[in-house]
Amino acid sequence: MFLIMRYIAKLLKALASEASPAQIAGGVILGMIIGLTPLSSPHNLIILILILIFRVNFGMAILSFTIFSGIAYLADPLFHSFGMYLLELESMQETWTNMYNNEWWAFTNFYNTVVIGSFVSSIIAAIPLFPLTMYGVVQYREHIHAKVQKWKIVQAFKTTKFYTIYQTVSRVRG
């Protein structure tokens, strides 16, 4: 229960932070890609480097990774079916064969049905999710944040000693 409350607090803090909506949406998208694809896939290292280079919201990337990892666990059979469909496309057979015969492309594990299915699915999902997340952040900041701060549970939480310690630690860490 405490862990869930901590993630919700981090989410609300990130949504109300100085980070731009694009930085938050970027964190969500890149965390989603890592979360939906098998963790040991080599392309996830590239995604991690992108998280560090593009100054996306790191906390949202971790939160998104956590959420989408659970979704991926449930969606793996769908990713397998989609990957099988992609790998069996007659028009792509020569491309897949050339990729498999190339050492670098073979290293990516894109010949694995779950890897290719989840990767392509996450890229497709990223296209509408990025602008929707940016829109949601703007709407939260304009219409919902002030109301959330007035909730009794939020006000009660702010009076606890734990919150005081959390604020102090947050200020020290930057």
Side-chain angles (χ1 to χ4, degrees), residues 150-165:
K150 293 178 184 177
W151 290 354
K152 291 196 184 297
I153 190 165
V154 172
Q155 292 174 351
F157 179 70
K158 285 184 174 184
T159 61
T160 63
K161 186 166 181 86
F162 172 75
Y163 182 76
T164 308
I165 294 169

Side-chain angles (χ1 to χ4, degrees), residues 64-142:
S64 177
F65 161 73
T66 305
I67 292 168
F68 284 102
S69 291
I71 293 171
Y73 178 75
L74 299 173
D76 268 354
L78 296 173
F79 293 149
H80 168 72
S81 297
F82 184 52
M84 185 70 73
Y85 167 76
L86 291 172
L87 291 175
E88 290 179 347
L89 280 173
E90 191 64 37
S91 60
M92 294 292 292
Q93 290 305 305
E94 186 176 338
T95 302
W96 299 135
T97 303
N98 290 335
M99 285 175 66
Y100 184 76
N101 290 331
N102 181 299
E103 291 175 18
W104 190 85
W105 283 108
F107 176 70
T108 63
N109 294 336
F110 283 152
Y111 54 84
N112 181 307
T113 57
V114 175
V115 173
I116 191 75
S118 61
F119 182 74
V120 172
S121 296
S122 64
I123 297 300
I124 291 170
I127 295 168
L129 189 60
F130 185 81
L132 286 173
T133 303
M134 284 182 34
Y135 177 77
V137 170
V138 170
Q139 293 304 308
Y140 173 82
R141 289 177 178 174
E142 290 178 2

